[in-house]
Amino acid sequence: MPLDLPSRPRRNRKNAALRGFARETHLGPEHLVLPLFLHEGTGDLAIGSMPGCLRLSPAGVLREVEGALKDGVGAFDLFPAIAEAQKTSDGREAYNPEGLVPRTIRAIKMEFPEALVITDVALDPYNSDGHDGLVKDGRILNDETVELLIMQALCHAEAGADVISPSDMMDGRIGAIRGGLDRQGFTDVSLLSYCVKYASSFYNPFRDALDSTPKFGDKKTYQMDPANVREALRELALDEEEGADIVMVKPAMPFLDVIRLVRECTSLPVAAYQVSGEYAMLKAAALNGWLDERRSVLESLLGIRRAGADMIFTYYARPAARWLKEGWAP
Ligand code: PBG
């Protein structure tokens, strides 16, 4: 005897065509941003805690961008590994017009004008303390740091960056950078704010990649407490008021509820960053044969999309784009 069931959700899953109609979330290469690690060296260097990612030489970057464009990934975020000798307590290399980042922006834009170039604004790669802001007597200064972030943003804009992305979590920096850019005529340069950025242990492999681990303390006086979610709305309101074009939640997988909340509370596009530690977890399990890399990576990205992210920064951007093209699904 069949059960007396008027509703049988399984009917909508009975074949691929119906599952296709019922599918609510789409993941494609157009949603992905590829972060790139840069260095001055002549060759590309492996990163121990991020197998499959490289610190790219200037020539390596152009090869990587070309390959990514072929894979269907059109947006890039630049992170420089700066030699210890170039780091200073005032982080002045951050706005050197001949520095690694502005030179790389110009090189990418010259060869691949269609590539969307995003740059990270924060002092940690350049600052001998390894903090995102200026340090005085063990404290991270806010307003003095913002002055330098404006100079860093202008340096990137002058080199041709499309989108500037402050990741430092200083108060007031979005409005101050917007004003600085506008006064110099860069009204078309977008601001993608790392709006809701948590003090997370999932950033450690990234700090290996750039040798940018803080020399003392942690980042808890500027990055958010992972216990908090109401505070995300406070940061969101400020960044909207100050002129952010896109707002980011970071990391992604441990904070899917926050992505969902931000998505529901703003009309701006929402970005999420699947950070280095999330990559490292997936990669380590895949290398051990514990997870099917293709399916689990695509499932993780689909989950971030379903939570509400319009764009996803991920070190898996190129392989994920290829797997999607090959017809793999989570
Ligand atoms: C620097 C910055 C960090 C990341 C992006 N920009 C590290 C940090 O805040 O310590 C992390 C990215 C990742 O882990 O993949 N302000």
Side-chain angles (χ1 to χ4, degrees):
M1 247 323 248
L3 294 173
D4 180 17
L5 290 181
S7 269
R8 289 179 181 265
R10 287 188 54 188
R11 275 198 289 269
N12 283 349
R13 302 178 201 136
K14 74 182 164 199
N15 58 39
L18 279 167
R19 287 195 295 274
F21 289 125
R23 188 159 299 126
E24 300 171 35
T25 308
H26 174 67
L27 171 69
E30 70 275 21
H31 300 121
L32 307 178
V33 178
L34 176 62
L36 299 173
F37 296 118
L38 323 171
H39 76 144
E40 294 281 7
T42 46
D44 301 336
L45 284 182
I47 299 164
S49 49
M50 300 180 73
C53 291
L54 297 166
R55 260 191 207 179
L56 299 162
S57 66
V61 174
L62 294 176
R63 274 195 305 274
E64 185 71 12
V65 169
E66 183 174 25
L69 290 169
K70 286 201 182 111
D71 292 336
V73 175
F76 305 90
D77 194 9
L78 308 182
F79 294 102
I82 300 296
E84 227 29 69
Q86 276 176 306
K87 298 185 186 181
T88 54
S89 58
D90 61 1
R92 73 183 90 95
E93 181 62 18
Y95 47 89
N96 172 4
E98 291 311 315
L100 183 56
V101 168
R103 271 186 286 126
T104 305
I105 300 169
R106 289 193 290 265
I108 295 175
K109 279 294 182 185
M110 177 98 81
E111 267 204 54
F112 309 105
E114 73 278 27
L116 186 88
V117 176
I118 305 174
T119 59
D120 199 76
V121 160
L123 298 183
D124 51 325
Y126 306 95
N127 169 320
S128 42
D129 295 297
H131 276 285
D132 292 35
L134 287 175
V135 177
K136 193 169 175 213
D137 304 329
R139 286 177 41 244
I140 318 304
L141 303 180
N142 193 88
D143 302 16
E144 295 83 345
T145 298
V146 171
E147 288 305 310
L148 300 185
L149 299 177
I150 297 172
M151 289 162 70
Q152 187 182 16
L154 279 172
C155 165
H156 296 173
E158 273 155 13
D162 298 291
V163 178
I164 285 170
S165 183
S167 70
D168 54 284
M169 291 299 277
M170 297 301 120
D171 291 333
R173 90 276 208 216
I174 296 301
I177 293 173
R178 183 72 272 160
L181 290 172
D182 289 354
R183 275 192 296 281
Q184 297 299 317
F186 294 111
T187 51
D188 284 344
V189 172
S190 312
L191 283 185
L192 188 163
S193 173
Y194 282 63
C195 169
V196 185
K197 178 173 178 179
Y198 289 95
S200 168
S201 52
F202 287 93
Y203 307 149
N204 285 9
F206 172 97
R207 295 176 191 168
D208 286 346
L210 297 189
D211 285 331
S212 63
T213 304
K215 300 281 160 41
F216 70 90
D218 51 41
K219 299 194 175 184
K220 290 180 184 168
T221 67
Y222 44 109
Q223 300 179 347
M224 283 175 52
D225 182 341
N228 292 358
V229 65
R230 289 192 301 266
E231 197 180 358
L233 296 180
R234 189 173 185 206
E235 289 284 0
L236 173 63
L238 287 169
D239 282 357
E240 284 190 314
E241 221 171 87
E242 292 178 33
D245 298 291
I246 303 174
V247 287
M248 184 194 278
V249 176
K250 176 188 177 185
M253 288 178 344
F255 297 94
L256 294 175
D257 57 324
V258 183
I259 297 174
R260 165 59 34 202
L261 181 72
V262 170
R263 170 66 292 153
E264 283 172 4
C265 293
T266 183
S267 56
L268 296 176
V270 175
Y273 201 137
Q274 184 177 53
V275 300
S276 56
E278 301 178 67
Y279 173 86
M281 272 193 312
L282 287 161
K283 182 58 92 178
L287 289 173
N288 274 297
W290 296 339
L291 283 177
D292 175 329
E293 188 173 30
R294 282 180 281 231
R295 291 185 197 283
S296 48
V297 167
L298 293 177
E299 184 175 324
S300 74
L301 296 172
L302 186 71
I304 296 166
R305 287 271 301 139
R306 193 192 60 247
D310 302 292
M311 57 197 288
I312 306 174
F313 289 62
T314 174
Y315 302 96
Y316 269 115
R318 284 190 66 185
R322 285 197 298 270
W323 297 333
L324 289 166
K325 240 192 272 182
E326 289 162 12
W328 290 89

